[in-house]
Amino acid sequence: MVRPLLEVIALGPGDAAGAVEGGADRLEVAADMDADGLTPSVQTVRDLKRECNLPLRVMLRANDGFATSGSELSRLMGAAHQLYAAGADGFVLGFLNPSVEVDVEAMTTLIDELSGAPWTFHRAIDHTLDHDRAWDVVALLPGVDTVLTAGSVRGVKDGLDELCQRAADSPVVAELMMAGGGLAPEHVPWLARAGVRKYHIGSAARPDRTWKAYVDARLVRSWRTLIDDTVAGL
């Protein structure tokens, strides 16, 4: 049985030790969590690469919304090359058009610049008007291997039923889905039974759930143990 994946948000090299010691499998690297995660600096990626050997999946997002413009997209394309050279193993991205659908044109333009690296479609999917259509579109984009979703713009607490139903109905969706966005321990058994094997935590990996604190190994380990034991017990 393949071990479930646990991804932890890292804001800088100070988060590396706790994530590694706690048993994280991958880091999502981002900046400015007040904006729900923006593109980090090249130096942040370099520093994290020196601190640990966990795969780094780096955010490509320049504003606190989900739309992008031509000039902004060009900057993100340049950033993708620089971040890949600095040690990014994959990327996190997601754009919506004015109709609040997946912006396929912007997505494919940026995907072409990712040097073949795998990538995650982030929670922009929760903000689309038609979730069914969005999943159909995203699943066909080249290189995507993960979709981070809470099932609702309000978080997993409100989207749990949708996540479970969607994963149970489609093995393809279950393989892509990574549950995150207000994920709580009591959600894990339901998600695991539905077939979800990827989990994402951010502030839950930090004391008092504050972004001012570093990732804490004991908190990460508690999630690692919960997820592994739950899946093993199925």
Side-chain angles (χ1 to χ4, degrees), residues 121-132:
F121 194 96
H122 60 51
R123 286 194 57 205
I125 198 165
D126 294 336
H127 292 257
T128 58
L129 290 180
D130 186 335
H131 290 182
D132 292 337

Side-chain angles (χ1 to χ4, degrees), residues 36-124:
D36 290 327
L38 301 180
T39 302
S41 70
V42 170
Q43 191 60 51
T44 294
V45 173
R46 288 198 187 108
D47 290 345
L48 274 165
K49 202 68 177 179
R50 280 196 293 266
E51 288 294 322
C52 70
N53 60 1
L54 292 179
L56 307 181
R57 196 151 289 203
V58 181
M59 182 70 72
L60 292 174
R61 185 169 178 242
N63 67 72
D64 61 1
F66 299 110
T68 189
S69 63
S71 59
E72 184 179 272
L73 190 59
S74 295
R75 292 195 299 273
L76 289 173
M77 291 161 65
H81 287 283
Q82 295 175 334
L83 293 163
Y84 187 74
D89 299 284
F91 294 95
V92 183
L93 57 148
F95 304 112
L96 306 182
N97 62 26
S99 299
V100 202
E101 300 173 330
V102 176
D103 189 337
V104 175
E105 182 178 356
M107 291 297 302
T108 53
T109 297
L110 189 49
I111 290 166
D112 286 344
E113 303 297 321
L114 300 186
S115 303
W119 59 276
T120 298
F121 194 96
H122 60 51
R123 286 194 57 205

Side-chain angles (χ1 to χ4, degrees), residues 196-231:
V196 178
R197 296 293 180 269
K198 299 177 184 178
Y199 299 86
H200 168 98
I201 56 173
S203 61
R206 301 164 189 270
D208 299 322
R209 302 184 72 95
T210 174
W211 293 107
K212 295 179 180 179
Y214 290 135
V215 168
D216 183 89
R218 289 172 296 178
L219 292 172
V220 176
R221 177 59 61 186
S222 69
W223 282 93
R224 174 86 271 168
T225 300
L226 168 64
I227 292 166
D228 288 350
D229 288 354
T230 300
V231 172

Side-chain angles (χ1 to χ4, degrees), residues 152-218:
S152 166
V153 296
R154 294 177 295 277
V156 177
K157 180 180 178 182
D158 290 278
L160 182 62
D161 288 345
E162 176 169 330
L163 293 180
C164 292
Q165 189 64 59
R166 199 172 290 281
D169 286 347
S170 169
V172 172
V173 168
E175 184 175 350
L176 287 171
M177 182 182 288
M178 179 165 63
L183 185 69
E186 60 265 27
H187 301 146
V188 172
W190 297 96
L191 292 162
R193 281 194 289 271
V196 178
R197 296 293 180 269
K198 299 177 184 178
Y199 299 86
H200 168 98
I201 56 173
S203 61
R206 301 164 189 270
D208 299 322
R209 302 184 72 95
T210 174
W211 293 107
K212 295 179 180 179
Y214 290 135
V215 168
D216 183 89
R218 289 172 296 178

